[in-house]
Amino acid sequence: MDRTASGEDVVLALHTYEAAAKERLPGPVWDFFAGGSGTESMLTAGRDALDRIRLRPRCLVDVSRCDPGTELLGARLAAPLGIAPMAYHRLAHPEGEVATARAAGDAGALLTVSMFASRTLEDIAAAATGPLWLQLYWLRRRDLMADLIRRAEAAGFRALVLTVDAPRVAFRPRDAANGFAVPSGIRAVNLAAEVMAASHGSRAGESAIARHSAEQFDSSVTWDDLAWLHEVSSLPLVLKGVLTGDDARLAVEHGVSGLVVSNHGGRQLDFARSAPDCLTEVVDAVAGGCRVVLDGGIRYGADIAKALCLGADAVMIGRPALWGLAHSGTEGVTGVLRLLMGEFEEVMALMGAPTVADFGRSGIATP
Ligand SMILES: Cc1cc2nc3c(=O)[nH]c(=O)nc-3n(C[C@H](O)[C@H](O)[C@H](O)COP(=O)(O)O)c2cc1C
Ligand SMILES: CCCCCCC(=O)C(=O)O
C-alpha cells in the first residue's frame, strides 16, 4: 500500500511492487528471484496459459454479498490464496519470513515456509496469526528433516509440503553467470550450519545454490519413501510439483492430502507443460481424493477465479510476495495480498459467483 498526499491508503498495482523491488535489490538477488532454468521458456508459460483462458459470466445472480472465504486442510482462509514456499526472504527485507508471516495473517492468507527460511520456525510462528505449512526438500540427512518436522509440529504448523520437482536445483543461467551465493549474513537458520556451507561462498560461473542441492538433496527417494514421512509425522502431507494424472493418482494411493500443481515458477524442468494446462488432468485423476492448489504466474484476481473453474481449491503466489516484501516489508506483502483479494472479490461479483463453490468448468472457455 502507499499514501496519497492527503494521507489516504492507495493500493498499488502489482507491477509497481515489482518495479520497486527491481530497483531496490542488488542485481544478483533480483536475478535469483526473477530467473528461471535452462532457456527460461517456463517463465512465461503459466502466464500465457492463464491469459488464454476466458471467463464466462452468469447474470442476474444476487451478488450483493460475495464471500471469498474458504477452507483448506482444516484452515479458514479469507480467500483461496496463499504464499508459496520461497527460500531466504531476508534477501528481500531484513525481517524476512517474520514480516511475511505477519502480512499473511493480517490478510487471512496461508503461508508456506521454505525449509530454507532465513528466520527460525519459532519466530515465524510467533508472528503468524494465520495458518502455516512447512515445505521440505528431501535431504540426505533424514535426521535433520525429522528434527525440523518435530519443531514445526511444536510451533503449530498445520501441514508438510514435500517438493517433488527438484531432485536437484536445475541449471539457472542467471545464477551461474552471477556466481550467485547466499550472502554470509543471511542463513537457512533452521538447518545446521555445516549442511548449509555450500550455499555460501561464490565461485565464478557456478551457482552455489545448485552446488549445494547436488551435495545435500537425496535424489534417490521414491514413492515408497513417503511411508517414512507418514511415520515421522501425522501432519497432512502435500506434494508440490505434480504435473500428471498418473502421479496424482499415485499420490492419493500413498495417503497424500494435497497437491500443488506447479512448474516451480519456471525454475526447474524447462519445456514442461505449464501448470494451468495440467490442472484439469490432475483434478480429474484425484477425483476429490485430495485437495489441489495451483501456483505459477498468478498475478490477478481473475487468475484465482480461472484456477477455481479448472477445479483447484486455492492458488499460491511466489514472486509477488517477495516484491511486496522488498517494497515495504509486512505492509508491502499485505498490500499485494489485499490487491489480489480485492480483485478476486470483484470478479466474483461480475461472474455471478457469490461463493467460491459457484466456480466450475462452465465458468471458463479455453480456445
Ligand atoms: C526466489 C524463489 C525461491 C523459491 N524457493 C522455493 C523453495 O524453497 N521451495 C519450493 O518448493 N519452491 C520454491 N520456489 C518456487 C515457488 O514455491 C513457486 O512454485 C513459484 O515461485 C510460483 O511462481 P510465481 O513466482 O510465478 O508466482 C521459489 C521461487 C522463487 C522465485
Ligand atoms: C540448496 C538451497 C536450495 C534453495 C532453493 C530455493 C530455490 O531457489 C528454488 O527452490 O527455486
Side-chain angles (χ1 to χ4, degrees):
M1 257 170 298
D2 214 348
R3 301 249 145 71
T4 61
S6 57
E8 288 162 69
D9 281 342
V10 178
V11 176
L12 298 177
L14 219 51
H15 63 80
T16 316
Y17 291 102
E18 181 178 15
K22 186 170 185 182
E23 200 179 296
R24 273 169 212 195
L25 295 171
V29 170
W30 172 257
D31 279 344
F32 171 61
F33 286 179
S37 56
T39 64
E40 297 197 329
S41 74
M42 297 308 295
L43 282 185
T44 49
R47 192 59 255 155
D48 291 348
L50 287 166
D51 283 339
R52 277 196 305 274
I53 299 169
R54 296 283 140 175
L55 295 166
R56 299 179 68 243
R58 299 300 304 270
C59 49
L60 293 175
V61 176
D62 179 358
V63 288
S64 55
R65 241 180 275 145
C66 291
D67 176 10
T70 194
E71 176 275 334
L72 190 61
L73 295 183
R76 268 322 291 171
L77 300 177
L81 177 64
I83 299 178
M86 288 173 292
Y88 303 114
H89 287 202
R90 286 194 61 225
L91 288 170
H93 188 274
E95 283 196 298
E97 289 81 0
V98 164
T100 316
R102 239 185 260 125
D106 288 351
L110 166 75
L111 171 62
T112 307
V113 175
S114 168
M115 167 182 247
F116 296 103
S118 49
R119 299 294 304 267
T120 65
L121 299 186
E122 293 76 12
D123 284 350
I124 297 167
T129 52
L132 298 173
W133 292 357
L134 173 68
Q135 177 268 336
L136 301 166
Y137 288 107
W138 203 298
L139 300 180
R140 292 179 205 264
R141 291 273 310 270
R142 285 194 190 190
D143 58 318
L144 296 183
M145 292 174 71
D147 175 57
L148 208 57
I149 291 167
R150 268 190 293 271
R151 283 175 52 203
E153 284 175 341
F157 282 62
R158 299 193 186 199
L160 301 176
V161 179
L162 177 68
T163 299
V164 292
D165 58 11
R168 68 168 80 130
V169 167
F171 175 70
R172 298 175 183 165
R174 299 193 209 193
D175 295 342
N178 292 330
F180 182 71
V182 181
S184 56
I186 296 176
R187 279 210 326 107
V189 290
N190 295 295
L191 293 167
E194 77 268 16
V195 167
M196 294 311 303
S199 273
H200 302 272
S202 185
R203 279 192 218 155
E206 192 190 29
S207 154
I209 298 274
R211 181 168 76 236
H212 179 263
S213 72
E215 191 185 277
Q216 299 292 343
F217 289 11
D218 183 351
S219 55
S220 73
V221 289
T222 67
W223 291 100
D224 291 341
D225 293 294
L226 296 186
W228 178 81
L229 269 184
H230 287 304
E231 258 168 48
V232 170
S233 176
S234 56
L235 286 177
L237 179 61
V238 176
L239 300 186
K240 174 170 178 279
V242 168
L243 292 172
T244 65
D246 290 337
D247 279 345
R249 267 185 293 273
L250 276 170
V252 174
E253 281 165 30
H254 285 79
V256 163
S257 302
L259 297 175
V260 184
V261 180
S262 167
N263 298 114
H264 209 114
R267 296 157 78 80
Q268 285 300 113
L269 181 66
D270 202 5
F271 300 115
R273 238 178 359 141
S274 80
D277 284 331
C278 301
L279 188 53
T280 45
E281 179 179 324
V282 168
V283 167
D284 290 347
V286 302
C290 74
R291 310 307 295 273
V292 179
V293 176
L294 176 73
D295 86 9
I298 302 292
R299 301 293 181 265
Y300 305 104
D303 298 333
I304 307 176
K306 290 174 183 180
L308 296 186
C309 287
L310 289 166
D313 296 295
V315 303
M316 297 203 287
I317 52 165
R319 295 174 182 89
L322 295 176
W323 303 337
L325 198 55
H327 178 274
S328 49
T330 296
E331 199 179 339
V333 182
T334 308
V336 164
L337 291 168
R338 291 246 161 91
L339 174 65
L340 291 171
M341 286 180 181
E343 287 178 1
F344 176 57
E345 196 274 338
E346 176 156 295
V347 172
M348 293 179 85
L350 301 182
M351 279 286 287
T355 75
V356 296
D358 295 314
F359 291 96
R361 296 233 174 126
S362 62
I364 50 169
T366 317

